[in-house]
Amino acid sequence: LTTLKKFELPSENPVSANQAILLERNLSEVKQFKENVSRGSEFLNFSDQTVSSIREFVATALAKASQGLNATTQAEALPAIAAELSSLLDSVISTGNASYAGQFIFSGHESQIKPFTKVGNDVLFGGDNGVYNVNVFGNESIQANYGPDGVFGALQTKLTSETDLNTRLASMSLSTKLP
């Protein structure tokens, strides 16, 4: 039986044996980097889908808030609008707590901590502004998600409607200031 091996033992050809070891190591690194890029791409795609859902909730909330601020809206309609806004906030919180492969995507570096919790009228943020980076080659890495500050616009521990929501809505060019 014939094999295509140039040698049986590394001591028979140390230079070729060393090259073979280096090639195996390089092949292993390339395989790992491909897996990292694939995992990072999947994480980024999931993050992107989640942000799109949040954008839809926020757009609906802005339309409802504008409807509630409209002078022609009947006072009887305001409780229903408020209930819809509360439901939309719950949806944003739930979506903001999305996880992928066991990591909360908007907790920053605190990926094992649920980022948002609603307590009464307040929303508490438990993460930080870190991002998930994927090593793609050597010391090179790419960002594979969005930082919570870029998505939600506030990183205080306690997000309150008075300090954050009014400011965010006002910055979105609503013509009437919220009470």
Side-chain angles (χ1 to χ4, degrees):
L1 189 63
T2 321
T3 67
L4 297 177
K5 292 182 180 180
K6 291 184 177 184
F7 52 89
E8 290 294 323
L9 299 170
S11 59
E12 294 174 10
N13 190 339
V15 173
S16 292
N18 189 41
Q19 287 177 335
I21 291 169
L22 290 175
L23 285 174
E24 284 293 324
R25 183 182 308 146
N26 288 344
L27 184 60
S28 176
E29 286 176 356
V30 168
K31 181 180 175 185
Q32 182 63 52
F33 294 139
K34 284 176 70 175
E35 289 173 13
N36 291 352
V37 168
S38 177
R39 188 170 5 111
S41 178
E42 291 168 2
F43 196 92
L44 183 58
N45 287 335
F46 182 78
S47 297
D48 191 46
Q49 292 168 359
T50 304
V51 168
S52 292
S53 295
I54 290 169
R55 279 190 190 131
E56 289 175 22
F57 293 136
V58 169
T60 303
L62 287 172
K64 290 294 177 184
S66 293
Q67 180 185 352
L69 293 171
N70 189 331
T72 61
T73 300
Q74 300 294 321
E76 301 84 37
L78 294 178
I81 292 172
E84 287 182 67
L85 288 172
S86 179
S87 176
L88 286 165
L89 176 61
D90 291 342
S91 296
V92 168
I93 292 168
S94 176
T95 305
N97 286 333
S99 64
Y100 182 82
Q103 292 182 293
F104 288 106
I105 62 175
F106 297 121
S107 284
H109 294 118
E110 305 292 335
S111 64
Q112 299 302 308
I113 296 174
K114 186 176 180 178
F116 301 102
T117 306
K118 187 175 181 184
V119 178
N121 289 329
D122 297 325
V123 176
L124 304 179
F125 177 67
D128 61 30
N129 198 31
V131 293
Y132 177 60
N133 291 308
V134 175
N135 184 333
V136 289
F137 189 75
N139 292 329
E140 297 296 321
S141 62
I142 58 170
Q143 183 176 328
N145 75 337
Y146 303 99
D149 185 41
V151 177
F152 297 98
L155 279 182
Q156 302 163 0
T157 304
K158 181 178 176 184
L159 307 178
T160 62
S161 60
E162 224 172 85
T163 58
D164 294 316
L165 184 59
N166 287 345
T167 304
R168 291 300 278 176
L169 290 176
S171 72
M172 293 178 184
S173 303
L174 285 178
S175 60
T176 307
K177 192 164 179 112
L178 297 174

